[in-house]
Amino acid sequence: MSNHNATAAHSHGHGEKAHGTVTLYMIFAVILCVITYFEWWIFEHRESIRISQRLMVVSLLFMSLVKFVMVCGWYMHLRYDHKSLTKLFICGMFLATATYVALGVIVHPKECDALKGECFKIQEPAPAPDTSTPADAKPAEAAPTAP
Amino acid sequence: MLDTHHTGSAGAAHAEAPEAHGHPTNTGVDNRKFAMWTLIASECFLFATLIGNYLIHKNRGIDGPKPHEVYQIDITTLSTFDLLMSSVAMVLALYYCNARRLRLFQFWTAVVVVGGLIFLGFQYVEFSHFVLKEDLGLSRNIFASSFYLLTGCHGAHVTVGVIWMLAILTTSLIKGEKWFNSTMVEVAGLYWHFVDVVWIIIFTVVYLFVYV
């Protein structure tokens, strides 16, 4: 066994680098909080700042992605760990994304415009055909018969 | 290369509990850690289907309230803060476990447990509001079913994480300095961070995209 001091900043195994420090984790915590606050702020003030829905979706997705990368890369130590773990996780994420896309393609109707919120509107049932035959109604003409 | 010492996370000269050392592996990555990452990769798949299911069905409910009528984004934002902070506490617990600072490790592990319990409390409040005030039970409409399936599945994961962290805390309280199983704490931490990552996605896609 190695005989270095037992701190968190040590190497774990092949391909692993030293882990982060308390200061780094705290800085990341503040950044995560600020991003979450901005997400909430954009949602709450979407009408007053007149942000388009498309821009709101993109910005929220971007902020979510930043948080995702920060937690996976630093808190889950993917950045420091063996590369095979990163590959494993990326494979899982790829399969998950492919499944999600496939599900969307199969179930999503073609005319749906997700960004306009027009997905899956409940269709009003068509009025039933009037089957009553009034007494003064002319009888339907007989279909012409073939000679 | 087979090398046992790389598999123990503490990697220090201190005596660890026997279970802290993993079996030799070709990659040098502890088997338990690799297994947890495999589980996480498969869980990505699970949550992708649940999120996809929710997005497909969220506006299909014929009866009952719509998503934008029931969501309380302020409360959900607070619960997101809470889960993010519990993730910070988790990484600090692992840090102090590696540094063999028992009291600090126990303190931050307790913070993780409390953070998880607070999150579950928020979820209980949310579900109670839906059921009692909005009359949105599990079987009210397909939106409710898909919503409860997704968030309930995540809540179940948080519950498992809380129980796991509670078991680690209890064991360390009983065994004291004799127990410093860094790999076990790291594996539990991976699980906890993954639960946090899933919530980051759910918060954005389910709650903030409610008008999309």
Side-chain angles (χ1 to χ4, degrees):
Chain A
M1 280 189 172
S2 60
N3 201 21
H4 56 65
N5 288 333
T7 63
H10 64 266
S11 177
H12 283 231
H14 301 291
E16 298 182 23
K17 303 172 193 169
H19 286 194
T21 60
V22 173
T23 311
L24 181 75
Y25 294 142
M26 285 301 182
I27 291 171
F28 273 48
V30 172
I31 294 172
L32 287 170
C33 282
V34 169
I35 292 175
T36 307
Y37 173 77
F38 267 115
E39 285 180 325
W40 172 83
W41 190 87
I42 286 179
F43 179 83
E44 287 294 318
H45 297 87
R46 64 190 177 281
E47 289 173 356
S48 59
I49 61 176
R50 294 178 181 175
I51 187 171
S52 70
Q53 197 166 53
R54 202 177 291 264
L55 184 60
M56 190 180 92
V57 168
V58 171
S59 57
L60 287 177
L61 276 179
F62 177 73
M63 285 190 277
S64 180
L65 182 69
V66 170
K67 288 201 293 183
F68 183 91
V69 170
M70 284 172 75
V71 174
C72 289
W74 278 268
Y75 284 3
M76 294 173 88
H77 298 152
L78 265 185
R79 190 171 176 274
Y80 312 109
D81 268 341
H82 200 279
K83 293 296 175 197
S84 61
L85 300 178
T86 308
K87 290 173 188 169
L88 186 64
F89 184 56
I90 289 174
C91 278
M93 286 301 297
F94 176 76
L95 278 175
T97 310
T99 308
Y100 172 74
V101 171
L103 200 60
V105 168
I106 291 168
V107 182
H108 231 254
K110 286 179 183 174
E111 65 271 15
C112 169
D113 187 348
L115 292 178
K116 290 180 181 173
E118 292 175 354
C119 292
F120 303 114
K121 278 186 175 174
I122 305 303
Q123 298 292 323
E124 291 293 331
D130 190 7
T131 54
S132 60
T133 53
D136 57 344
K138 292 178 182 177
E141 292 180 6
T145 55
Chain B
M1 182 179 174
L2 300 178
D3 191 353
T4 52
H5 102 267
H6 286 298
T7 60
S9 272
H14 304 278
E16 280 196 345
E19 63 270 19
H21 296 281
H23 296 288
T25 61
N26 287 330
T27 58
V29 180
D30 191 282
N31 284 331
R32 291 165 290 181
K33 201 167 153 183
F34 202 85
M36 177 49 71
W37 273 108
T38 309
L39 174 72
I40 285 172
S42 60
E43 292 268 19
C44 289
F45 192 75
L46 167 73
F47 278 103
T49 54
L50 290 180
I51 291 173
N53 175 54
Y54 168 81
L55 290 178
I56 286 165
H57 294 122
K58 74 171 182 175
N59 290 327
R60 277 186 152 177
I62 295 173
D63 184 29
K66 303 290 181 202
H68 65 272
E69 294 168 352
V70 293
Y71 285 165
Q72 300 167 295
I73 301 296
D74 294 349
I75 290 179
T76 315
T77 307
L78 282 179
S79 68
T80 306
F81 272 121
D82 170 64
L83 206 58
L84 282 172
M85 290 308 102
S86 76
S87 225
V88 177
M90 182 69 240
V91 82
L92 291 176
L94 175 62
Y95 181 90
Y96 287 114
C97 182
N98 284 330
R100 307 181 72 79
R101 305 273 298 273
L102 183 66
R103 291 294 169 212
L104 283 170
F105 161 67
Q106 289 171 341
F107 170 75
W108 287 112
T109 309
V111 171
V112 175
V113 172
V114 171
L117 289 174
I118 291 174
F119 179 83
L120 290 174
F122 274 122
Q123 201 162 42
Y124 174 78
V125 169
E126 184 185 41
F127 286 4
S128 302
H129 173 78
F130 284 6
V131 174
L132 301 176
K133 298 275 176 62
E134 306 288 348
D135 192 22
L136 190 70
L138 179 67
S139 56
R140 177 73 188 271
N141 58 28
I142 197 162
F143 150 64
S145 302
S146 56
F147 172 80
Y148 285 123
L149 183 64
L150 172 60
T151 53
C153 185
H154 180 266
H157 280 71
V158 174
T159 308
V160 171
V162 167
I163 293 170
W164 195 351
M165 294 311 298
L166 208 53
I168 286 174
L169 179 61
T170 310
T171 312
S172 80
L173 283 171
I174 293 170
K175 294 191 176 179
E177 296 278 353
K178 294 175 196 168
W179 189 87
F180 266 117
N181 195 336
S182 297
T183 307
M184 182 55 75
V185 176
E186 190 174 7
V187 170
L190 285 175
Y191 179 84
W192 191 261
H193 293 310
F194 173 70
V195 168
D196 184 31
V197 161
V198 170
W199 187 256
I200 286 173
I201 298 169
I202 290 177
F203 176 63
T204 303
V205 174
V206 173
Y207 289 94
L208 297 182
F209 287 177
V210 66
Y211 289 107
V212 175

